[in-house]
């Protein structure tokens, strides 16, 4: 949630400072837990962040392929006595060009202003 909140704040900042550049960016969230993150669950979850954020899910095989492509670590962790499981995972935001090329990445600790500046530089 912290990374998505920072990404949302960065996009909102960029929309105010450089609407043309902001319009070039499509924020996406790809689940690492397709078992729990159904289409309705993702729709509800992403609605808590930026209005243009799109949530993506798929089959377990598709999600594994995406994780492998982006070198994402994710593993289910069950704690004794807990009513639900947790997911340990990498928390990175990747900026991918329209051509599908890696441009930059941000951590959940990247300040939204820093992220907005970099997004503006790369989006033009």
């Amino acid at each position: 949630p912290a990374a998505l909140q920072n990404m949302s704040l960065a996009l909102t900042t960029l929309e105010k400072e450089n609407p043309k550049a902001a319009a070039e960016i499509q924020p996406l969230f790809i689940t690492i837990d397709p078992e729990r993150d159904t289409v309705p669950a993702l729709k509800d979850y992403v609605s808590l962040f930026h209005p243009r954020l799109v949530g993506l899910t798929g089959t377990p095989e598709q999600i594994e392929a995406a994780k492998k492509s982006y070198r994402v670590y994710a593993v289910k962790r069950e704690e004794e006595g807990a009513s639900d499981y947790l997911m340990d995972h990498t928390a990175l935001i990747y900026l991918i060009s329209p051509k599908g090329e890696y441009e930059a990445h941000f951590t959940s600790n990247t300040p939204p202003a820093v992220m907005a500046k970099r997004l503006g530089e790369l989006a033009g």
Side-chain angles (χ1 to χ4, degrees):
L4 288 174
Q5 185 172 17
N6 283 349
M7 181 183 74
S8 296
L9 290 170
L11 285 169
T12 300
T13 299
L14 187 59
E15 287 167 344
K16 292 175 186 173
E17 296 174 357
N18 189 342
K20 185 178 177 187
E24 296 296 317
I25 297 169
Q26 175 58 64
L28 300 173
F29 171 83
I30 303 173
T31 184
I32 47 101
D33 185 11
E35 177 183 327
R36 184 168 43 189
D37 291 340
T38 62
V39 171
L42 276 178
K43 182 179 178 186
D44 289 345
Y45 185 66
V46 299
S47 73
L48 300 173
F49 301 97
H50 195 273
R52 292 187 317 146
L53 180 61
V54 173
L56 301 175
T57 189
T59 66
E61 296 79 18
Q62 290 168 323
I63 299 303
E64 284 302 315
K67 287 169 31 184
K68 185 176 180 180
S69 292
Y70 290 97
R71 296 185 172 107
V72 170
Y73 162 82
V75 65
K76 185 188 291 190
R77 185 171 50 112
E78 298 187 48
E79 293 187 13
E80 191 174 323
S83 61
D84 205 358
Y85 62 90
L86 299 173
M87 294 295 292
D88 285 336
H89 61 85
T90 306
L92 291 174
I93 298 168
Y94 294 94
L95 181 61
I96 306 298
S97 77
K99 294 179 182 179
E101 298 168 344
Y102 170 87
E103 294 287 343
H105 70 273
F106 309 101
T107 71
S108 58
N109 295 324
T110 303
V114 171
M115 198 181 303
K117 182 176 187 244
R118 184 74 172 128
L119 290 171
E121 292 168 356
L122 293 169

